Amino acid sequence: MVKTTTTDPKVFDYRAIRMLVGIIAIALPWLVEFGNGPDSLQSISASYWEGGAVRDLFVGSLYAIAAFLFAYKGKDIVDSVLSKLSSVAAVTVAMFPTSKPGVNSDGWFQVHETAAIALFLMLSYIVFASFLKPTWGHPGKTQIRAYIYAATVLAVVGSIVVGVGAGLVTDADQIRDNFVYWAEFVALHAIGTAWLVSGKFFRLIADDNERFQIF
């Protein structure tokens, strides 16, 4: 009788998980914008209050990201712990919505904002520690990926600073909302790009011997 095992690395490829997290993160703002129609969103998170398909896309994408992050083990114990904590943070962002536009908040939105910032910071740290540091200083396409990782980490940190700063110091609601929206937009694309690139699917930034192949 042949003994089977589920520990074969071919069953789940870490590059596939990275790629899927990246695709969903990049697609999320476009999906909710498309689903919301011509009306502009005050923030990506505010799509929760639009209801219907827009809310389903927002919440569903977060749960999908959470599932992939929970399944992701990473390269070491820090990677593994941060991915699990990031999974919890993604679920928290989905379960505790941001403040409803035009309505006085009861304070629970702060849970959403804290979890969102924590999620971006933890995912960025994984990019820095597990994607950027091991690739920096290597020749060819590996160094190209390192430059991309560095740019995305800076973009996420900058977006967090802009988003938090706008919420603290800007009095004009419209200006504040625009800053928050674009901060979320840039952060999602930056973190998504880093995780997508680390999936090593694209020939331009990955050598043939390291590329992830779907089949």
Side-chain angles (χ1 to χ4, degrees), residues 137-169:
H138 292 268
K141 295 179 180 179
T142 303
Q143 183 62 49
I144 294 175
R145 294 199 301 274
Y147 288 137
I148 295 173
Y149 299 146
T152 58
V153 169
L154 291 175
V156 172
V157 174
S159 297
I160 292 174
V161 171
V162 169
V164 173
L168 292 176
V169 302

Side-chain angles (χ1 to χ4, degrees), residues 8-19:
D8 187 344
K10 294 181 181 179
V11 176
F12 292 103
D13 194 320
Y14 73 93
R15 293 170 299 183
I17 294 178
R18 290 179 180 179
M19 186 176 69

Side-chain angles (χ1 to χ4, degrees), residues 75 130-139 142-147 149 200:
K75 294 183 176 181
S130 298
F131 303 170
L132 172 59
K133 289 180 68 176
T135 56
W136 192 266
H138 292 268
T142 303
Q143 183 62 49
I144 294 175
R145 294 199 301 274
Y147 288 137
Y149 299 146
K200 301 176 184 177

Side-chain angles (χ1 to χ4, degrees), residues 57-69:
L57 287 169
F58 177 72
V59 175
S61 296
L62 286 170
Y63 276 123
I65 289 175
F68 287 126
L69 289 174

Side-chain angles (χ1 to χ4, degrees), residues 74-111:
K75 294 183 176 181
D76 52 37
I77 186 62
V78 175
D79 246 11
S80 182
V81 171
L82 284 180
S83 64
K84 303 303 181 291
L85 291 176
S86 298
S87 176
V88 174
V91 172
T92 304
V93 171
M95 292 181 63
F96 294 87
T98 188
S99 55
K100 189 174 182 178
V103 177
N104 291 330
S105 175
D106 58 5
W108 281 105
F109 76 96
Q110 295 175 352
V111 176

